[in-house]
Amino acid sequence: MERFAFVLHPLSLEDMQMVSPMVRYVPGFLLEYILKQKKPFTVSHITGVKSPHAEAEGWFVGCPLTAKQMVELPEEFVIDRIVETGKIAEELGAKILGLGAFTSIVGDAGVTIAERLNIAVTSGNSYTVATALEGTREAARLMGKDLRDAEVAIVGASGSIGSACARILSREVRHINLIARRIAPLEELAQELNGHGAATFSVSSDVKSCLHKADVVIAVTSAVDFIIDPADLKSGAVVCDVARPRNVSRNVSAQRNDVLVIEGGVIHVPGNVDFHFNFGFPPQTCFACMAETMILALEGRYENFTLGRNLVPSQIDTISGLAKKHGFTLAGFRNFEHAVTKEMIESIRENVKL
């Protein structure tokens, strides 16, 4: 039996209400103080992960800091708390630890955490990229778009996931607009990729103005609040929101019936998996970052797999191959906790303004 663990943490104070409705009566400043003092803990035991080649069990381990706290508190304090969470995974018998949400981007994106633990560590970003692109390609096809002629915007292109998406898509699309707060890293990325594929590049720090002409948007920033609103998007756009917390406002789906928004990296897990914890997904499905941890455990590859901020296509290809071997597949499309059906996509296509 192979063994893994995965770090969960509340993205916001509102997430804590899912755990305990009484939390809504606690003032925000007091709740943040309580979370800062609380020690990491075991959330649940994961059973039933079984591929044609191996079987695994695992644990969700909880790091009680919100996304906002992970950004604003001293970096060393946050890393210490994540390492404490990893020590619980070690005690439970896990041989590899997956870093979820903001725990994968704090500091040097997992490198220091791996150095301070006695088990392997992965951020899950390689499989996140692979499945986000797989989902984007399929969503574009269903919307009648040819990626070879598409204008693509990558919001958060200076990050590890965004830059990896740019590297891979540069071989497939006509033009890519790289968007992030800092221009210099975008210019370096554009210079690196120019001439190596079919795409041309532009760079910008202005999200709002760039999205109006984008046929396809991939959103992967580490912002703690929404940055894409209904008025920002072109009619008929396909938007893949990979970020947690989400980059796309819920109002986009409510107000724009001519835009397709999907969540990146929703994966069907082989076997009869039971997470014994409700994180808002249908049974037997999970985030791609969680799946990467399970895939590596099933393969017995207890090694530091995806760490740091430089993802390479060969690593993404490797985890994609292992996913297929063990029976992990894209679990259709989802949008704000709801399935996106082919009928819904057809309706969106009919509403597109030419």
Side-chain angles (χ1 to χ4, degrees):
M1 177 78 76
E2 309 296 340
R3 292 181 173 85
F4 65 90
F6 190 84
V7 181
L8 297 179
H9 74 90
L11 296 178
S12 65
L13 295 179
E14 288 73 21
D15 280 357
M16 298 303 299
Q17 295 179 8
M18 295 173 58
V19 179
S20 172
M22 295 300 294
V23 166
R24 72 186 62 184
Y25 301 108
V26 180
F29 74 91
L30 179 56
L31 186 54
E32 285 186 345
Y33 176 81
I34 293 170
L35 290 175
K36 184 178 175 182
Q37 303 306 314
K38 186 173 175 57
K39 294 297 183 182
F41 56 97
T42 303
V43 176
S44 70
H45 182 206
I46 303 166
T47 58
V49 181
K50 186 175 182 180
S51 85
H53 307 280
E55 188 171 354
E57 66 173 341
W59 294 268
F60 281 141
V61 286
C63 181
L65 294 174
T66 66
K68 180 172 176 285
Q69 287 177 305
M70 288 194 178
V71 170
E72 295 180 352
L73 289 172
E75 183 178 293
E76 187 57 33
F77 175 86
V78 175
I79 289 175
D80 284 345
R81 190 55 54 86
I82 297 169
V83 170
E84 286 179 45
T85 311
K87 293 295 183 182
I88 292 176
E90 289 181 355
E91 293 169 3
L92 290 167
K95 298 179 182 178
I96 187 168
L97 178 72
L99 301 177
F102 273 52
T103 65
S104 68
I105 63 174
V106 170
D108 51 15
V111 175
T112 298
I113 293 165
E115 290 172 349
R116 292 169 58 181
L117 291 173
N118 298 313
I119 58 176
V121 177
T122 190
S123 69
N125 285 347
S126 292
Y127 197 46
T128 296
V129 170
T131 56
L133 293 179
E134 182 183 353
T136 299
R137 293 185 188 104
E138 178 62 9
R141 186 188 69 81
L142 291 172
M143 284 289 289
K145 296 182 182 297
D146 186 341
L147 275 183
R148 292 173 298 182
D149 298 323
E151 179 140 341
V152 175
I154 301 177
V155 186
S158 60
S160 58
I161 294 177
S163 59
C165 288
R167 287 186 173 92
I168 294 172
L169 286 177
S170 67
R171 304 175 295 199
E172 306 174 35
V173 306
R174 177 174 60 84
H175 183 77
I176 301 176
N177 198 338
L178 306 172
I179 307 167
R181 285 176 296 181
R182 293 174 57 236
I183 290 291
L186 300 180
E187 291 176 335
E188 290 177 11
L189 180 60
Q191 185 173 3
E192 172 198 334
L193 296 179
N194 258 323
H196 289 277
T200 58
F201 295 88
S202 56
V203 302
S204 177
S205 60
D206 188 345
V207 175
K208 303 295 185 183
S209 65
C210 292
L211 296 188
H212 289 301
K213 57 184 178 180
D215 302 298
V216 174
V217 178
I218 299 176
V220 290
T221 83
S222 55
V224 297
D225 206 351
F226 303 129
I227 59 173
I228 299 176
D229 294 308
D232 298 334
L233 296 165
K234 176 181 179 180
S235 184
V238 172
V239 185
C240 181
D241 192 351
V242 187
R244 293 295 177 274
R246 293 179 177 91
N247 285 168
V248 180
S249 167
R250 188 180 293 268
N251 292 334
V252 173
S253 294
Q255 299 176 20
R256 293 294 301 271
N257 63 1
D258 60 340
V259 168
L260 174 60
V261 180
I262 61 170
E263 295 177 357
V266 182
I267 306 302
H268 182 268
V269 181
N272 189 28
V273 62
D274 190 339
F275 294 103
H276 295 98
F277 180 77
N278 179 13
F279 50 91
F281 274 25
Q284 299 183 306
T285 64
C286 70
F287 291 110
C289 52
M290 296 176 182
E292 179 171 308
T293 312
M294 297 178 211
I295 293 164
L296 293 170
L298 288 168
E299 185 67 10
R301 288 187 64 156
Y302 294 120
E303 61 191 66
N304 296 333
F305 190 78
T306 308
L307 292 178
R309 305 197 184 282
N310 294 317
L311 299 181
V312 294
S314 60
Q315 196 171 27
I316 295 164
D317 293 340
T318 295
I319 198 68
S320 295
L322 293 176
K324 290 183 176 69
K325 172 182 174 179
H326 289 284
F328 289 77
T329 57
L330 200 65
F333 299 134
R334 291 184 65 76
N335 176 10
F336 290 101
E337 293 85 43
H338 297 289
V340 177
T341 65
K342 288 186 178 181
E343 291 76 17
M344 293 169 66
I345 295 174
E346 281 298 320
S347 177
I348 292 170
R349 286 188 64 170
E350 290 173 2
N351 292 324
V352 172
K353 300 174 182 64
L354 300 177

